[in-house]
Amino acid sequence: NELQRAPSQHVGPDYKTSDEKPEATVSTTIEQKNVVILPQTPQLIALLTMIRDKNTSRADFIFYSNRINRLLVEEALNHLPVHPHTITTPVGRTYAGVKFEGKICGVSIMRAGEAMEQALRECCRSVRIGKILIQRDEETSKPRLFYDKLPEDVKDRWVLLLDPMLATGGSALMAVDVLRSKGVPEERILFLNLIASPEGAANFSKKYPKLRIVTAFVDQGLDEKNYIVPGLGDFGDRFYTL
Ligand code: PRP
Ligand code: URA
């Protein structure tokens, strides 16, 4: 079965030998070069274990998914351009550093994507955030666009597009079409995502090879209802209503 083909590795701190570390399932590796997968550290695997567990309470689900969202935002910020910036320290010495260049904004795909806004705000104070309401039809899995409201100058900004689940890719692709119709170039969009399916990542990369996806984990695949497996169930329900 598919889960037996899931890659696994010994997980734990470096001072332990391999046979002292437990084996855990880690992200599938994929060939698409525009997909950045977070390092599969013991911390990330422990956080993912918490949010995947069906017995995790809603309060814990919110807390631990927020922690992963912070890791995703911090990684995504590494993909923004910087320019040289030299400063003087309080002891009178100079330090050759860098400064971010360009303006950014967040765009969340409602409802689940809104759950990632807090992590973005914690890292980028008073960041502008646009919204796109797309809902996947429960029977057909096809996305429907209901609403969008974006910063007026969105085409001049780097866009951090937020949605925790990339299943078939239909919803996120529709959101990117909206951004493109407002003039945002593909290469200035970073899609932040918690769990992706290999199918979703492949669909995305085929249509938008220059758009970067930053994800915490590529899972095994999709089930007959197009849910990600092993996945974590319905993210929006677990975060907002269960
Ligand atoms: C979920 C999820 C994605 C989409 C992924 O949203 O948050 O937006 O499904 O599936 P896809 O890649 O096959 O399009 P859903 O439409 O269930 O709405 P929600 O955010 O209100 O939970
Ligand atoms: N949306 C979710 O919330 N989870 C899935 O597995 C697929 C779509």
Side-chain angles (χ1 to χ4, degrees):
N1 88 25
E2 279 192 53
L3 294 185
Q4 280 164 348
R5 292 205 301 274
S8 67
Q9 88 191 15
H10 292 283
V11 172
D14 286 347
Y15 63 84
K16 297 264 188 191
T17 60
S18 277
D19 53 3
E20 291 174 303
K21 299 185 205 179
E23 279 226 356
T25 307
V26 292
S27 174
T28 301
T29 47
I30 50 173
E31 63 191 30
Q32 288 82 22
K33 297 277 180 287
N34 61 326
V35 181
V36 177
I37 305 172
L38 292 185
Q40 302 294 293
T41 59
Q43 181 174 203
L44 178 63
I45 299 295
L47 296 172
L48 282 161
T49 308
M50 284 298 294
I51 63 166
R52 286 180 188 277
D53 187 342
K54 68 175 184 172
N55 294 318
T56 292
S57 67
R58 183 168 159 260
D60 281 342
F61 186 85
I62 294 170
F63 180 79
Y64 291 105
S65 57
N66 274 341
R67 284 194 53 199
I68 304 177
N69 291 336
R70 273 291 292 259
L71 299 175
L72 288 168
V73 174
E74 296 286 4
E75 175 55 30
L77 295 176
N78 284 329
H79 297 263
L80 299 178
V82 288
H83 60 251
H85 185 62
T86 298
I87 51 87
T88 307
T89 72
V91 291
R93 300 296 173 94
T94 56
Y95 172 76
V98 293
K99 205 173 181 174
F100 283 123
E101 153 180 310
K103 297 185 288 183
I104 67 162
C105 69
V107 171
S108 53
I109 304 179
M110 295 160 72
R111 146 194 78 155
E114 291 180 296
M116 302 172 82
E117 291 177 6
Q118 182 183 331
L120 179 60
R121 285 210 187 85
E122 282 166 3
C123 298
C124 309
R125 249 180 319 166
S126 71
V127 62
R128 284 175 172 71
I129 296 184
K131 309 266 183 178
I132 303 182
L133 175 56
I134 293 174
Q135 293 285 283
R136 198 170 89 140
D137 183 290
E138 292 203 354
E139 297 301 317
T140 63
S141 304
K142 296 274 179 261
R144 286 180 64 199
L145 172 66
F146 291 94
Y147 165 91
D148 68 89
K149 200 83 181 171
L150 302 169
E152 264 179 21
D153 58 350
V154 67
K155 69 172 176 29
D156 304 320
R157 293 178 179 270
W158 284 80
V159 176
L160 276 60
L161 180 64
L162 311 174
D163 193 334
M165 304 305 277
L166 173 62
T168 64
S171 306
L173 282 171
M174 187 174 265
V176 174
D177 290 343
V178 173
L179 293 172
R180 301 265 297 112
S181 73
K182 311 273 177 193
V184 184
E186 170 186 347
E187 53 272 31
R188 260 200 275 117
I189 303 171
L190 293 161
F191 177 39
L192 279 62
N193 164 253
L194 221 126
I195 301 183
S197 75
E199 297 90 329
N203 288 342
F204 222 92
S205 305
K206 199 165 158 207
K207 183 149 185 215
Y208 292 118
K210 287 189 251 162
L211 184 157
R212 267 155 293 178
I213 300 178
V214 178
T215 188
F217 207 99
V218 179
D219 251 1
Q220 291 302 289
L222 298 173
D223 69 9
E224 59 292 344
K225 289 174 136 181
N226 284 324
Y227 269 72
I228 301 173
V229 286
L232 51 71
D234 187 309
F235 187 98
D237 284 355
R238 295 193 65 188
F239 196 95
Y240 290 112
T241 56
L242 278 186

